Amino acid sequence: MTEAYIYDHVRTPRGKGKKDGSLHQASPVWLLRTLLHAMQQRSALDTSLVDDVVLGCVTPVGEQGADIARTAVLDAEWAQTVAGVTQSRFCASGLESVNLAAAKVKSGWEDLVVAGGVESMSRWPMGSDGGAWVMDPRVNQKLGFVPQGVGADLIATLEGWDRADVDGFALRSHQRAAVARAEGRFDRSIVPVADIAGLMLLAQDETIRGNASMEAMAKLDASFAMMGQMGFDATALRKYTTVEKIRHVHHAGNSSGIVDGAALMLVGSKEGGAKAGLKPRARIRAAAVIGSEPTIMLTGPTPACRKALTKAGMAASDIDLFEINEAFAVVPMKTARDLGVDLDRVNVNGGSIAMGHPLGATGCIILGTLLDELERRQLSTGLATLCVGGGMGIATIIERV
């Protein structure tokens, strides 16, 4: 079977996902256009050699709807022969795009594929597309839906973590991200976003708080206690009968930020890359998706990682660095505990708590961050994983070449 290699990775900075955020005036297509231009220019890429563009978008409505992948290809003036498809695996969509691109290449049906995702959360808020999961009362009740924040608090309760534990993890995310930004560790992949007149909108991730402290976070109210009182705690406790009461410990400071952003990765075969004059940076060794418990929704990374590791013939101890998406502090904490992985190998440059979680793009972003850091440290193997809405998990293993 043909090997699938990563040739390039670009991303926008992540801008605060509110109307006063720096990327609010940039449309989702404009973010993608910016990245497509950068990818083409960085390696003098002949875009006619690219077969397809696979993009994740979790809220595909309005400007983000109607197959934004193909729209962006045409707007960026890439070769007309480049196709485009948009898909959603909720917050794993960006990594799912990379995995789909790898599968296309490994099958031999395509030679070069661009994969990634986009989410403009300041313009199209999470949940704008509705869905039976939350809007159909029969489905909602049958599946035991609770907001993910309540599920995160339930994990903390089950695992015995208190407010100081999750705040401590969050503080480390901000501190690590601040150091990484100051040292230019993200510079290779970040493409600054300017407006149509060429005026700079944003050049670096906007939500990192280098001055974060335990004292400041201690003043923040728990975000999901009120939701719990509305009946969601009771829904969760009907399934988790060994728990008497959920301790609400997550808040805006230890949960992923709402941001705007986009990311792209160029995946191809050895022959496809050679034809384009490209040098491979890593190969995609294995990938996996799995369904997990749908009430908590956040426990999928562990079984997804184990499935991918089995496919690759590896153990967690064989992985040099991990990127475990920080949807909530407990997600990487629990995944690392389950796998027996020291947190010193996890999210070494911070994560979504510090920099935000642009839903459709995050998976591609963290895989690219992982590759950049493997190269910086001259390490070999990395694993990226995310929890997924609806109760799923995804994982991808890469190896430098």
Side-chain angles (χ1 to χ4, degrees):
M1 184 176 288
T2 303
E3 293 281 4
Y5 294 94
I6 298 171
Y7 288 98
D8 197 12
H9 171 257
V10 290
R11 71 170 179 93
T12 68
R14 283 166 276 192
K16 184 170 62 172
K18 296 183 179 180
K19 291 185 177 180
D20 63 345
S22 296
L23 293 182
H24 174 65
Q25 66 175 289
S27 70
V29 168
W30 186 262
L31 297 179
L32 292 169
R33 179 183 185 273
T34 299
L35 294 183
L36 288 166
H37 281 175
M39 181 173 281
Q40 181 180 6
Q41 294 164 5
R42 279 158 64 108
S43 54
L45 177 65
D46 178 357
T47 62
S48 68
L49 298 175
V50 176
D51 295 294
D52 200 4
V53 174
V54 183
L55 287 182
C57 184
V58 176
T59 312
V61 297
E63 300 163 302
Q64 296 184 156
D67 193 1
I68 191 173
R70 175 61 174 166
T71 306
V73 165
L74 296 173
D75 188 44
E77 298 179 337
W78 275 34
Q80 186 174 309
T81 53
V82 182
V85 62
T86 307
Q87 56 80 28
S88 172
R89 194 185 288 279
F90 292 142
C91 27
S93 298
L95 192 56
E96 175 70 7
S97 293
V98 176
N99 294 350
L100 287 173
K104 285 168 167 278
V105 169
K106 289 174 76 68
S107 73
W109 287 6
E110 295 178 4
D111 298 310
L112 282 177
V113 182
V114 172
V118 65
E119 208 77 39
S120 183
M121 301 181 76
S122 70
R123 297 165 75 101
W124 298 99
M126 182 169 51
S128 297
D129 57 335
W133 186 260
V134 295
M135 298 188 70
D136 185 322
R138 180 191 63 80
V139 174
N140 186 288
Q141 183 177 26
K142 179 179 179 180
L143 301 183
F145 169 82
V146 303
Q148 286 189 344
V150 174
D153 289 336
L154 177 54
I155 289 176
T157 303
L158 289 166
E159 296 287 334
W161 288 316
D162 59 20
R163 175 74 175 255
D165 293 322
V166 291
D167 282 357
F169 182 93
L171 177 61
R172 181 159 34 178
S173 180
H174 282 285
Q175 291 172 336
R176 287 177 169 180
V179 169
R181 182 175 62 183
E183 294 185 354
R185 298 183 192 177
F186 303 133
D187 291 353
R188 177 172 183 174
S189 295
I190 282 188
V191 178
V193 178
D195 66 14
I196 198 168
L199 298 175
M200 185 57 60
L201 296 177
L202 187 63
Q204 294 186 319
D205 295 312
E206 189 170 26
T207 62
I208 299 170
R209 295 190 294 277
N211 62 349
S213 68
M214 292 291 283
E215 293 74 22
M217 281 192 281
K219 297 176 182 178
L220 298 174
D221 293 332
S223 297
F224 308 103
M226 183 63 70
M227 291 182 182
Q229 293 173 13
M230 292 169 57
F232 289 116
D233 278 5
T235 298
L237 294 177
R238 280 196 294 271
K239 181 170 289 189
Y240 291 86
T241 56
T242 60
V243 177
E244 183 177 342
K245 181 181 180 181
I246 296 174
R247 295 196 305 271
H248 291 283
V249 297
H250 286 87
H251 51 76
N254 58 32
S255 306
S256 57
I258 293 172
V259 293
D260 301 332
L264 298 176
M265 187 168 280
L266 182 59
V267 178
S269 64
K270 182 173 288 187
E271 294 74 18
K275 190 173 182 180
L278 303 171
K279 182 179 179 180
R281 296 173 61 187
R283 69 182 177 109
I284 298 173
R285 285 198 54 172
V289 291
I290 199 161
S292 62
E293 202 283 298
T295 293
I296 286 183
M297 284 196 261
L298 306 173
T299 56
T302 296
C305 289
R306 287 174 174 158
K307 184 177 179 180
L309 288 165
T310 298
K311 291 284 185 183
M314 302 173 73
S317 58
D318 298 321
I319 301 296
D320 293 316
L321 294 175
F322 289 80
E323 283 288 328
I324 305 172
N325 188 42
E326 297 173 357
F328 302 90
V330 293
V331 176
M333 291 171 68
K334 176 172 171 53
T335 305
R337 173 183 279 185
D338 290 345
L339 297 176
V341 173
D342 192 291
L343 287 175
D344 288 342
R345 294 159 58 199
V346 174
N347 302 356
V348 295
N349 290 323
S352 293
I353 288 173
M355 292 174 282
H357 180 14
L359 304 177
T362 304
C364 183
I365 290 174
I366 66 173
L367 190 66
T369 298
L370 179 63
L371 175 55
D372 287 345
E373 189 62 17
L374 288 173
E375 291 176 336
R376 191 184 77 84
R377 298 189 181 204
Q378 296 187 327
L379 298 174
S380 178
T381 56
L383 186 155
T385 184
L386 299 91
C387 58
V388 190
M392 292 181 283
I394 190 170
T396 302
I397 298 171
I398 61 172
E399 180 179 23
R400 284 182 57 215
V401 296

